[in-house]
Amino acid sequence: MLWAGFLFGLLGSFHCVGMCGAIALALPGAGARGWGFVAGRTLYNLGRISTYTALGAGAGLLGQSLRLAGLQQGLSVASGVLILLLVVVPERHTGRAAAWLGLDRVLARLKQALAYWFQRHGLGALYLSGVLNGLLPCGLVYLALAGALSAPGGLGGSAAYMALFGLGTLPLMLALSLTGQLVPLHWRTRLRQAVPVAATALAVLFIVRGLGLGIPYLSPQLSKAVPAAHSQRPAAITMCH
């Protein structure tokens, strides 16, 4: 299931271009050339991936707690349902929910911090800009985190899932920041329309996996634990006189 994170990131990177392309194009040092320019753009994108990995670890910690409570199959189904809800619910409603929870003030401070590091120069500033950019609200990241909740391997597996998701977005986003050229609009539109389809397929996969239908690899049935010890008759004790 970890490979699904990379494929989803690869396809979803066209969504990233539409939502965060302006930030990538406005990175400090635009117009420069040389290894320093390439290293800075690479570190910026690695900053994003670092944030996604950390968020994945958080999702894995939550998922691990639910697994320990015996909710492993239910967690997979719930992850699929959550992905479907995120596909159906418009992003403007998720923004309203964030405002209702008071996250709009957190977002305002996040944007201030991002603007601060944008005004600084150096590789470290570019990396931190990427870290902060990874925290900006993004429906695609929410979809990936819903999948990371039930990724195999516990906390490490969920972190790896989100790291692979970030690596999937890397080729296109790095090319954008290096060349300063957007993908043609008609291609972005078509491929962005494919993101909900891919997310729906991923949701169905998680749901089928959680149902435990006994299908090898796709929907394995969890075997019930068998008690290791069985009751035995007490052995007769022979006493010598």
Side-chain angles (χ1 to χ4, degrees):
M1 293 293 292
L2 294 181
W3 54 266
F6 178 79
L7 291 179
F8 190 60
L10 189 63
L11 180 62
S13 59
F14 291 90
H15 177 275
C16 296
V17 168
M19 298 301 294
C20 299
I23 296 178
L25 292 174
L27 288 174
R33 290 293 179 267
W35 286 109
F37 176 77
V38 175
R41 267 53 185 169
T42 303
L43 282 172
Y44 165 79
N45 284 283
L46 290 179
R48 292 189 305 106
I49 297 172
S50 299
T51 298
Y52 298 154
T53 305
L55 292 174
L61 187 61
L62 175 60
Q64 192 172 38
S65 301
L66 294 174
R67 288 189 190 94
L68 291 175
L71 302 175
Q72 182 173 352
Q73 288 181 282
L75 176 61
S76 185
V77 174
S79 296
V81 172
L82 180 58
I83 292 174
L84 288 177
L85 287 175
L86 289 170
V87 170
V88 173
V89 177
E91 286 194 22
R92 64 176 181 273
H93 292 315
T94 59
R96 291 175 184 174
W100 183 73
L101 292 171
L103 297 178
D104 50 343
R105 285 172 290 183
V106 177
L107 178 59
R109 292 187 178 182
L110 178 62
K111 289 181 177 179
Q112 288 177 356
L114 184 59
Y116 171 83
W117 288 111
F118 251 60
Q119 296 172 3
R120 300 295 181 269
H121 296 281
L123 298 180
L126 285 167
Y127 176 77
L128 289 173
S129 295
V131 169
L132 294 172
N133 182 46
L135 293 171
L136 291 175
C138 176
L140 186 71
V141 175
Y142 299 155
L143 287 169
L145 285 172
L149 268 175
S150 58
L155 187 151
S158 297
Y161 182 95
M162 289 303 295
L164 287 171
F165 163 78
L167 287 174
T169 68
L170 180 62
L172 187 59
M173 290 299 293
L174 180 59
L176 170 65
S177 60
L178 289 175
T179 63
Q181 295 180 354
L182 286 171
V183 178
L185 180 60
H186 66 280
W187 279 108
R188 280 185 285 150
T189 302
R190 290 180 181 179
L191 290 167
R192 284 184 64 183
Q193 290 172 347
V195 172
V197 177
T200 301
L202 184 63
V204 172
L205 180 62
F206 276 113
I207 292 172
V208 171
R209 177 170 171 262
L211 291 176
L213 301 176
I215 305 173
Y217 303 107
L218 179 62
S219 183
Q221 189 172 10
L222 294 180
S223 58
K224 296 182 179 180
V226 180
H230 299 277
S231 59
Q232 298 178 351
R233 294 181 181 180
I237 302 177
T238 303
M239 299 184 66
C240 297
H241 298 281

